[in-house]
Amino acid sequence: MGEQPIFTTRAHVFQIDPSTKKNWVPGSKQAVTVSYFYDSTRNSYRIISVDGSKVIINSTITPNMNFTKTSQKFGQWADSRANTVFGLGFASEQQLAKFAEKFLEVKEAAKLAREKSQEKMETSSEQSQESGRETPSGNQASSFNGTDDEKISIGPENEALKSEVEQRKCELELQALRESNARLQEALEEEKISADNWRSRVTQSQEEENQLRNQISELELQCKEVNLEKERNVQLTLRIQELESDLQDKQQELENLCKQAEIIPQLMAECENLTAKLQAAELKSQDLSDKLKLLQGEIDGSQHKHKNMKTELKKFMDLLDGKIDELHEVRQGISKLGVDN
């Protein structure tokens, strides 16, 4: 009848990472079917799980295996033949308990099957030795003691039949081993392809990470440059504000000077009036010779005052020219700063 499933459940399958021997590697993206199979031909038990066309678990249970519960919903066992450790994550504690009970039951059954097999081998070996001692050298068949119906002859034909049966059994086992080896080879090839894909994905992820780091470094440099530019703009803004304040002060001084300049025509008119008065006084000097000496002091005072006024007027005009030049230079500086900004 071949292999038949005797127990089936669903769980998330994991395998230990062969490189670290610590981390778990998921064998499937979701819960898959995990089954116990019994091979009546070889009297053996296996745990098999398949995800689509991919064999995830193909573990033959031996009496030396142990299933360990590492948490409320997770259990594991080591397979020395596959050189790995399998882990199962269940949806509930009850499913884990049932799987563990079935593992213990199958383990005991495998132990009994091995003991029976050893007993059969020992019995077969003893019978072969006895038949070798009892078989005569000729072609005459020998028989066991008993009734006529129970007598079983042992001769060359039976030995050939037994050999043929044993050979047929070995061929069947060899064929089963070849099929199992082919399945394992396919699973190994799929695992290699999956590992290569994971390696390529990791390499791609590392390259993308390096690119992102380079982009982050470039953005940080750009942010630093932007911050420096902002600081420069702040400094320029403060400088412009200072220059605007100075310009306002200069404009106020210019307005004051302009107001003072409005008085100059009045002063000039006063000077002309005094000059006219002086000329009139000179004309009257001939008639007023007695008053000349008295008025001479006044004239001298007026001339001295006139000179002082001219001197102050000249200084005032020079000062006004200097202020106008300074105002012109300030306007040129402000225009230059506006162009640079």
Side-chain angles (χ1 to χ4, degrees):
M1 295 178 64
E3 283 186 315
Q4 296 293 331
I6 58 176
F7 179 84
T8 300
T9 185
R10 293 185 65 84
H12 290 272
V13 179
F14 298 88
Q15 272 188 272
I16 201 73
D17 190 347
S19 59
T20 62
K21 298 296 183 181
K22 293 181 179 180
N23 300 326
W24 288 107
V25 178
S28 60
K29 295 181 179 179
Q30 56 188 0
V32 294
T33 301
V34 181
S35 302
Y36 286 92
F37 278 82
Y38 172 64
D39 188 349
S40 58
T41 303
R42 293 183 294 174
N43 198 17
S44 63
Y45 297 87
R46 287 196 301 167
I47 299 176
I48 297 176
S49 178
V50 179
D51 185 10
S53 60
K54 179 181 176 182
V55 178
I56 304 174
I57 300 176
N58 184 8
S59 177
T60 301
I61 300 176
T62 62
N64 298 326
M65 286 185 178
N66 291 312
F67 185 81
T68 305
K69 298 179 182 179
T70 57
S71 66
Q72 294 180 349
K73 298 180 182 179
F74 192 87
Q76 66 183 47
W77 77 94
D79 189 341
S80 58
R81 294 183 180 180
N83 193 22
T84 187
V85 179
F86 294 102
L88 297 178
F90 295 90
S92 64
E93 298 180 25
Q94 291 78 9
Q95 291 180 354
L96 174 60
K98 289 180 180 179
F99 188 89
E101 291 175 1
K102 196 64 180 179
F103 192 96
L104 183 61
E105 178 185 338
V106 171
K107 174 184 172 182
E108 293 296 329
K111 184 177 180 180
L112 292 174
R114 175 180 288 187
E115 292 175 354
K116 290 181 179 179
S117 177
Q118 291 177 351
E119 290 176 359
K120 287 181 179 180
M121 290 177 63
E122 291 175 358
T123 304
S124 176
S125 176
E126 291 176 357
Q127 289 178 355
S128 297
Q129 292 176 0
E130 291 177 359
S131 60
R133 289 194 299 267
E134 295 174 357
T135 302
S137 59
N139 293 330
Q140 183 180 0
S142 62
S143 61
F144 291 102
N145 293 329
T147 62
D148 293 337
D149 295 335
E150 294 173 347
K151 291 180 180 180
I152 303 174
S153 63
I154 300 175
E157 294 179 357
N158 290 335
E159 289 292 336
L161 180 61
K162 183 178 180 181
S163 299
E164 184 178 355
V165 170
E166 292 291 337
Q167 183 179 0
R168 180 59 180 168
K169 184 177 180 181
C170 291
E171 288 177 356
L172 291 174
E173 291 181 354
L174 181 61
Q175 182 66 25
L177 288 174
R178 286 176 180 173
E179 292 177 357
S180 178
N181 188 26
R183 290 196 297 269
L184 290 174
Q185 192 69 25
E186 291 178 359
L188 181 61
E189 292 295 331
E190 291 177 358
E191 290 293 335
K192 287 182 179 179
I193 294 172
S194 178
D196 293 338
N197 292 333
W198 277 109
R199 289 193 188 98
S200 62
R201 290 179 184 177
V202 169
T203 303
Q204 185 179 1
S205 299
Q206 290 177 349
E207 292 176 355
E208 292 177 354
E209 182 180 359
N210 293 331
Q211 292 177 358
L212 289 174
R213 286 181 178 175
N214 294 331
Q215 292 178 1
I216 289 171
S217 300
E218 293 177 358
L219 290 174
E220 288 178 350
L221 291 175
Q222 292 178 2
C223 289
K224 290 181 180 178
E225 293 178 356
V226 169
N227 292 330
L228 291 174
E229 190 66 24
K230 287 181 179 179
E231 291 178 358
R232 292 174 186 171
N233 290 335
V234 170
Q235 293 176 358
L236 288 174
T237 302
L238 294 174
R239 180 60 180 166
I240 290 172
Q241 291 176 355
E242 291 177 357
L243 291 174
E244 288 177 351
S245 178
D246 293 339
L247 178 62
Q248 290 177 358
D249 295 338
K250 297 296 182 181
Q251 288 178 348
Q252 186 65 35
E253 292 180 1
L254 180 61
E255 289 177 358
N256 294 332
L257 291 174
C258 290
K259 290 179 180 179
Q260 293 178 4
E262 293 176 356
I263 305 174
I264 294 175
Q266 297 177 0
L267 296 175
M268 293 295 293
E270 290 180 0
C271 290
E272 290 177 356
N273 290 330
L274 291 173
T275 303
K277 289 179 181 180
L278 180 60
Q279 291 176 357
E282 288 177 353
L283 291 174
K284 291 180 181 180
S285 64
Q286 294 177 359
D287 298 335
L288 301 173
S289 58
D290 295 335
K291 297 180 179 180
L292 180 60
K293 291 181 181 180
L294 295 174
L295 294 174
Q296 188 66 37
E298 294 178 2
I299 292 170
D300 292 337
S302 297
Q303 289 179 351
H304 181 70
K305 185 177 180 181
H306 184 261
K307 289 180 180 180
N308 290 335
M309 290 180 67
K310 285 185 176 181
T311 302
E312 290 179 359
L313 181 61
K314 185 177 181 181
K315 289 180 180 180
F316 181 76
M317 292 298 293
D318 293 337
L319 179 61
L320 181 61
D321 293 334
K323 295 296 183 179
I324 291 172
D325 292 335
E326 288 179 2
L327 181 61
H328 183 65
E329 290 176 358
V330 169
R331 287 181 176 176
Q332 288 182 348
I334 291 172
S335 300
K336 186 177 180 181
L337 286 175
V339 172
D340 292 339
N341 192 25

